[in-house]
Amino acid sequence: MRFGIFYEHQLPRPWNEGDEARLFQDALEQVKLADRLGYDYAWEVEHHFLEEYSHSSAPEVFLAACAALTTNIRLGHGIRQVIPQYNHPARVAEALATLDIVSRGRLDFGIGEGATRLELGGFGIPAREKRALALEAAEQIANMMTMDPYPGYEGRAFSMPCRNVVPKPVQKPHPPMWMACTNRDTIKVAAQSGVGALAFSFLDPEEAKTWADIYYGIIRSDDCRPIGHGVNAQLAMVSNFSVHPDRDEAIRRGQEGFEFFSYAINALVAHDAVPGRSTLFADFQKSRAASDEEIIRARKAAKVNANGIGTPDDIREHIRGFQAAGVDQVIFLQQAGRNRHDHICESLELFAAEVMPAFKAEATEREARKAAELAPFIEAALARKERMPALADHEIPVVPASRPKAQVNETTR
């Protein structure tokens, strides 16, 4: 089992001077700490215009800062918006390769499409076409990172002429690819595309096993036709996260933030929004069904441990359930709502000291067994891939130099 941390850069109102800057600086300190403690991944989203919920609109900048401050932790776009209206595919390929170089080959590349009218409408993206546009662009980004030169493309999402997209990434053929998944249908799409599944839904181990069975069943089938030049057969599940020796205190520190995250995901799609005048956190507080103390009393009465929020023993049991279900990585949502920086750091330290070591000791052997088992299926999937033909030297078009208009007219006579 591998472990990641996850950032939306949430900032509930009211906002005070310096709050936004402090949020980012605290997150950088948390990633530095996670690197030192042995966490495997730091994931950063990309969202636009989603006040309070996510102030992470330039993840490539944040991840570059993380690369400079860390040594071992992998840095994940979880996800990068790849539809061309958000980011031109050639610019994405250039940024990915540069980040892979400066991080010394520690980048993972998750793809996404966006879900809210604030984002899609802000960039003029038709909602019904977003998945097709994202998959098309993602496949071409992979081609740009591997082909010398990139032959050019005429498609639905974008068009561009032949160019050599540089630099090229350190990891070959390119950084591992992932896809954001929120339901069983998107799990199927990720597996069919040969990319890792970033399951951004909060599931119990039984439902996680269903998702894992669907995902790995398709990876082993003829339906897997990779969009990249490798197959990244991995399933990661997001989990809420607050660890403390006292379960009640863990709930007090983390429950509200986790509930806000879940509330906001729905509200941003289902509720009207007024740009610059968001009331997301205030609306959440009005709608909250129970206080922390009421939740604590109810769970004591039912003898139920908090799911991802509790003591080290609670979290250990929680992760064992995911491991048994076939999940490869648990990604902790530790920064949500108004969760405090010092509480986040304490949770990261306690988990690393008391829970992580046993799982880390098992990880290498487990991954080797899995790689051996899947190797023939991955080989078969890559053989099915429809590859863009490379250009022979004589086929590479000459890009004419700039000439004065009069000279151009003279030479065309």
Side-chain angles (χ1 to χ4, degrees):
M1 181 68 70
R2 299 294 177 181
F3 300 104
I5 56 176
F6 176 60
Y7 289 92
E8 295 270 6
H9 295 321
Q10 297 199 335
L11 191 64
R13 288 182 186 271
W15 299 335
N16 297 309
E17 186 68 28
D19 283 353
E20 206 164 41
R22 188 176 306 108
L23 173 72
F24 278 82
Q25 294 300 329
D26 285 350
L28 290 173
E29 289 299 318
Q30 291 159 25
V31 174
K32 284 173 59 179
L33 175 63
D35 180 54
R36 180 171 61 80
L37 293 173
Y39 287 80
D40 301 287
Y41 288 81
W43 293 97
E44 173 82 351
V45 306
E46 179 181 347
H47 283 304
H48 301 275
F49 321 127
L50 303 188
E51 303 167 64
E52 301 189 71
Y53 175 72
S54 177
H55 290 231
S56 177
S57 55
E60 72 283 10
V61 177
F62 180 78
L63 291 175
C66 291
L69 295 170
T70 60
T71 303
N72 298 308
I73 196 167
R74 293 191 64 84
L75 306 171
H77 276 291
I79 48 67
R80 182 71 162 159
Q81 303 281 19
V82 296
I83 295 174
Q85 288 95 319
Y86 289 125
N87 298 293
H88 190 282
R91 295 290 293 118
V92 174
E94 292 165 344
L96 292 173
T98 303
L99 185 51
D100 199 44
I101 290 168
V102 301
S103 68
R104 295 181 172 86
R106 290 187 282 141
L107 179 65
D108 279 59
F109 168 37
I111 66 173
E113 59 203 41
T116 69
R117 291 188 178 274
L118 279 167
E119 289 185 287
L120 295 168
F123 289 95
I125 299 168
R128 292 182 180 179
E129 298 179 28
K130 63 189 181 77
R131 175 149 318 144
L133 296 174
L135 290 172
E136 179 186 17
E139 183 170 21
Q140 295 311 311
I141 291 166
N143 287 336
M144 291 172 188
M145 288 191 285
T146 56
M147 302 186 75
D148 181 10
Y150 175 66
Y153 184 71
E154 294 287 336
R156 179 181 181 183
F158 75 104
S159 298
M160 68 173 284
C162 172
R163 293 292 187 271
N164 193 26
V165 180
V166 292
K168 301 298 186 190
V170 171
Q171 298 177 88
K172 303 302 180 188
H174 49 65
M177 294 179 69
W178 301 74
M179 177 180 172
C181 301
T182 55
N183 53 49
R184 295 184 186 184
D185 287 341
T186 44
I187 280 285
K188 294 176 183 177
V189 174
Q192 290 164 354
S193 303
V195 301
L198 292 170
F200 293 136
S201 294
F202 296 93
L203 307 179
D204 58 34
E206 183 177 350
E207 181 65 8
K209 184 178 187 310
T210 299
W211 284 35
D213 289 346
I214 292 169
Y215 178 81
Y216 280 109
I218 293 174
I219 290 288
R220 295 182 178 94
S221 78
D222 291 345
D223 292 333
C224 180
R225 295 178 179 272
I227 61 172
H229 292 251
V231 173
N232 182 34
Q234 295 193 69
L235 175 60
M237 291 276 177
V238 71
S239 169
N240 46 320
F241 182 69
S242 176
V243 191
H244 192 274
D246 181 337
R247 183 183 298 140
D248 296 354
E249 182 61 20
I251 293 171
R252 293 186 189 100
R253 292 183 175 197
Q255 182 68 28
E256 182 188 68
F258 167 64
E259 287 183 22
F260 172 66
F261 181 89
S262 299
Y263 170 87
I265 289 175
N266 176 71
L268 287 165
V269 174
H271 298 176
D272 295 340
V274 181
R277 299 294 181 268
S278 65
T279 57
L280 199 59
F281 194 75
D283 294 342
F284 156 70
Q285 289 183 310
K286 292 175 185 175
S287 71
R288 198 174 182 212
S291 67
D292 289 342
E293 298 307 320
E294 289 169 330
I295 291 168
I296 289 168
R297 288 195 295 271
R299 286 184 173 160
K300 283 181 176 177
K303 297 182 179 180
V304 175
N305 294 343
N307 184 22
I309 297 177
T311 67
D313 286 342
D314 295 336
I315 307 305
R316 189 178 296 110
E317 180 182 352
H318 175 60
I319 293 169
R320 286 292 182 198
F322 279 133
Q323 186 180 53
V327 174
D328 302 293
Q329 180 184 161
V330 177
I331 303 173
F332 295 126
L333 175 68
Q334 84 289 359
Q335 190 274 314
R338 289 179 173 166
N339 290 0
R340 283 171 39 179
H341 171 63
D342 57 335
H343 292 169
I344 291 169
C345 292
E346 289 172 16
S347 288
L348 291 171
E349 290 172 338
L350 184 58
F351 178 87
E354 298 195 17
V355 183
M356 186 189 292
F359 290 99
K360 296 277 276 190
E362 302 167 358
T364 302
E365 182 181 350
R366 180 174 182 262
E367 289 168 353
R369 288 197 308 269
K370 174 187 162 187
E373 177 196 346
L374 292 179
F377 301 104
I378 291 175
E379 182 180 1
L382 289 171
R384 287 189 294 270
K385 176 178 172 59
E386 297 181 7
R387 298 178 183 272
M388 175 178 277
L391 296 178
D393 282 359
H394 71 275
E395 295 175 313
I396 300 173
V398 174
V399 181
S402 299
R403 296 182 179 90
K405 187 174 181 180
Q407 184 178 350
V408 172
N409 292 338
E410 183 66 29
T411 57
T412 58
R413 289 175 186 168

